Amino acid sequence: MAEGEATAATTSKWTEQVMADICMEPIGTGVSMRREIGEVHGIFHRLQADGKLEVRLHAFGTIIAGKWGAVMDALREAHDLLHEKGVVRIQSNLRLATRTDKAQTIDEAVQAIEEELQKQAGWSSAAARAGGS
């Protein structure tokens, strides 16, 4: 078994922590979605300030992490708000990740991948952001 792989003996009970990668697309509102993204992020950031979610915006959506119920409630609240604001149709793409072997924040998950890339190819996130490799 490779280093870091969990076995049935090393796993524990699921704590209901989930990371969700969400892309919500309001349909029929025009080309720009900035207003709607801002509205939804207001919800996510309020819940982050309350200690219920961890939030990370990226170019094609948002990652939110927290307890399963808090994440699903946030997504429902986001849909409700946009519909109340007049958005007739919303298409959402959702990817979920759960694990039982350890707790992990969004930053920790990204850092683990960046460390592995660094080991494999000398890759650095700072160089990648600057346009290098």
Side-chain angles (χ1 to χ4, degrees):
M1 185 169 301
E3 179 183 341
E5 285 187 17
T7 65
T10 63
T11 59
S12 60
K13 185 177 178 188
W14 180 46
T15 63
E16 295 191 27
Q17 286 296 120
V18 61
M19 277 191 209
D21 185 13
I22 180 74
C23 177
M24 294 177 67
E25 300 174 27
I27 297 174
T29 61
V31 176
S32 177
M33 295 183 279
R34 279 180 265 171
R35 182 184 63 82
E36 292 85 356
I37 291 168
E39 298 275 356
V40 168
H41 270 260
I43 293 168
F44 294 166
H45 286 286
R46 174 179 45 81
L47 293 169
Q48 185 174 33
D50 291 346
K52 294 180 180 177
L53 292 181
E54 181 184 359
V55 179
R56 168 79 60 78
L57 177 69
H58 60 84
F60 297 102
T62 305
I63 299 170
I64 58 176
K67 293 283 190 178
W68 183 275
V71 168
M72 295 303 143
D73 288 348
L75 297 176
R76 183 181 57 239
E77 188 176 342
H79 271 255
D80 287 347
L81 176 69
L82 292 182
H83 285 309
E84 289 170 9
K85 298 271 183 180
V87 177
V88 176
R89 185 173 172 201
I90 304 163
Q91 178 175 303
S92 291
N93 296 306
L94 177 64
R95 294 186 317 157
L96 301 171
T98 59
R99 61 187 307 165
T100 60
D101 60 327
K102 65 180 178 178
Q104 190 175 47
T105 67
I106 295 170
D107 287 337
E108 290 167 345
V110 171
Q111 182 179 1
I113 294 165
E114 288 178 348
E115 287 172 0
E116 183 61 29
L117 291 170
Q118 181 68 34
K119 280 192 263 181
Q120 289 181 11
W123 182 90
S124 93
S125 59
R129 283 191 285 274
S133 57

